[in-house]
Amino acid sequence: MAGILSRYSYALDYQIDDDGKLPVVQHARVYAITDRFSIQQLKDLAQQKFSAALKDLKTLDIDVFVTAVKVIYTSTLRSDHGLRDSVKGTLVKFKQELRDSD
């Protein structure tokens, strides 16, 4: 996370290292940590990247999605709907797939 913060401070952008998983969890973590450091522009950027990553999904990796949801709902204020609204949209988009999953 420190690397993301330092890269953002120089480039006003950040990249998620591709470890073979969807970046939604990392974007959620970046978003959550921005309140501690009061970096609103980075929070806005993380929200944009999180929302874009969810919109680009063709299929839902349920384990990754659930992990991202846990990060969002355990590390952001209840009144903070920035990522929660994107989660709701994804739930609607993949509702049948979620119903059919074990």
Side-chain angles (χ1 to χ4, degrees), residues 35-85:
D35 278 334
R36 278 191 209 153
F37 296 103
S38 299
I39 310 171
Q40 186 62 45
Q41 290 174 321
L42 178 55
K43 185 175 185 175
D44 294 342
L45 181 61
Q47 180 180 351
Q48 291 169 4
K49 289 183 178 232
F50 179 84
S51 296
L54 288 181
K55 285 180 184 175
D56 289 344
L57 293 178
K58 302 296 183 233
T59 61
L60 185 65
D61 183 329
I62 294 171
D63 293 333
V64 171
F65 183 69
V66 168
T67 300
V69 170
K70 286 180 183 177
V71 168
I72 294 163
Y73 280 82
T74 60
S75 57
T76 62
L77 296 174
R78 184 175 287 184
S79 60
D80 186 341
H81 293 276
L83 299 187
R84 293 172 189 226
D85 291 342

